[in-house]
Amino acid sequence: MNIKMMEYEKEQVVRYGKKLIDRRLTTGSGGNISVYNREKNLVAISPSGLDYYETTPEDIVILDIDGHLVEGKHRPSSEAGMHLAFYKNRADVSGIVHTHSKFATAIACMGWELPAVHYLIGMAGHRVKCTGYATYGSDELAKKALETIGDSNAVLLANHGLIALGEDVDRAFSTAEHLEFVSEVYYLTKTLGTPNILSDEDMDEVMKKFGTFKYR
């Protein structure tokens, strides 16, 4: 196999890993990123426990869609199984970003869903649901995340963080970043009183403009 075939995807994982730190969407080596090449049926994913600013394209792990190691000197992210479950079950997804961003994680630690307090939530859907708790890296967490997300582009992981999906990693990262903003707005409005939540009809119009609307 030509090991150069996933160079672009590796570079994308490295690039967006640094952006996770720069945009304060995680700390240390927390969170993870992957890119799925559907033509090659291969996934480039961040390695486990490696500082994002020390990660090079050569450190990125390549898996097939069933989780078999194709290339890599490190262990893949502990959440590789969750990434693969999404890729297998969501034909519209080719990029995934998992964050430990402060405000989204705070909402997840409350076990709350994130409602449409701001129209930018439309990048994910009408709302962002929260899973029940499961240990990180477990098959149970992957199952809960897949069941909870439905056709949305993001889901909160209870007492853990946020995972965002996209047609590519750029879209997934943008969704994660905007949802951190919405989470902060929700936190602030909850401290002020009862937030004004947009209706599903209002969000339908927003999502049509965003191109994220799915007819139910």
Side-chain angles (χ1 to χ4, degrees):
M1 179 176 290
N2 179 6
I3 64 172
K4 297 293 186 183
M5 67 193 321
M6 294 289 282
E7 286 303 299
Y8 174 76
E9 290 83 357
K10 292 177 188 175
E11 290 170 1
Q12 289 286 89
V13 173
V14 170
R15 176 189 172 201
Y16 281 96
K18 291 180 171 64
K19 287 182 72 172
L20 275 183
I21 299 297
D22 293 343
R23 304 295 174 84
R24 298 184 178 181
L25 296 180
T26 195
T27 57
S29 60
N32 33 75
I33 294 175
S34 70
V35 179
Y36 183 25
N37 184 319
R38 289 188 173 271
E39 288 187 7
K40 304 297 183 183
N41 220 23
L42 296 175
V43 176
I45 190 165
S46 49
S48 178
L50 196 62
D51 185 284
Y52 288 109
Y53 264 89
E54 295 179 359
T55 301
T56 68
E58 290 71 32
D59 294 313
I60 304 306
V61 181
I62 306 300
L63 304 174
D64 68 20
I65 195 60
D66 293 315
H68 300 120
L69 179 67
V70 174
E71 179 190 345
K73 57 187 178 182
H74 300 286
R75 288 183 296 111
S77 164
S78 60
E79 302 297 356
M82 183 161 55
H83 288 243
L84 295 173
F86 281 125
Y87 289 137
K88 286 181 178 180
N89 289 278
R90 288 284 299 269
D92 58 325
V93 175
S94 293
I96 295 175
V97 174
H98 170 40
T99 75
H100 292 171
S101 52
K102 186 181 297 183
F103 288 95
T105 300
I107 303 302
C109 287
M110 294 298 293
W112 295 345
E113 72 171 28
L114 181 63
V117 69
H118 191 283
Y119 73 87
L120 281 173
I121 201 170
M123 295 185 70
H126 291 85
R127 59 192 57 80
V128 179
K129 296 179 181 179
C130 186
T131 68
Y133 178 75
T135 305
Y136 82 94
S138 65
D139 291 340
E140 182 185 5
L141 179 59
K143 181 180 179 182
K144 285 179 182 290
L146 187 61
E147 289 174 347
T148 304
I149 199 169
D151 63 359
S152 176
N153 291 328
V155 65
L156 292 165
L157 308 175
N159 303 89
H160 186 155
L162 172 83
I163 190 158
L165 317 181
E167 60 189 24
D168 53 39
V169 70
D170 181 71
R171 183 74 174 191
F173 188 92
S174 181
T175 296
E177 188 171 28
H178 282 90
L179 289 178
E180 177 63 2
F181 165 75
V182 177
S183 297
E184 184 174 4
V185 169
Y186 187 50
Y187 169 87
L188 291 170
T189 57
K190 289 286 280 186
T191 68
L192 294 171
T194 303
N196 179 45
I197 305 302
L198 299 173
S199 69
D200 283 352
E201 290 73 21
D202 290 332
M203 288 309 305
D204 284 347
E205 292 303 312
V206 169
M207 291 164 65
K208 286 174 185 176
K209 285 177 176 281
F210 284 175
T212 55
F213 183 80
K214 298 179 176 70
Y215 289 92
R216 298 184 295 277

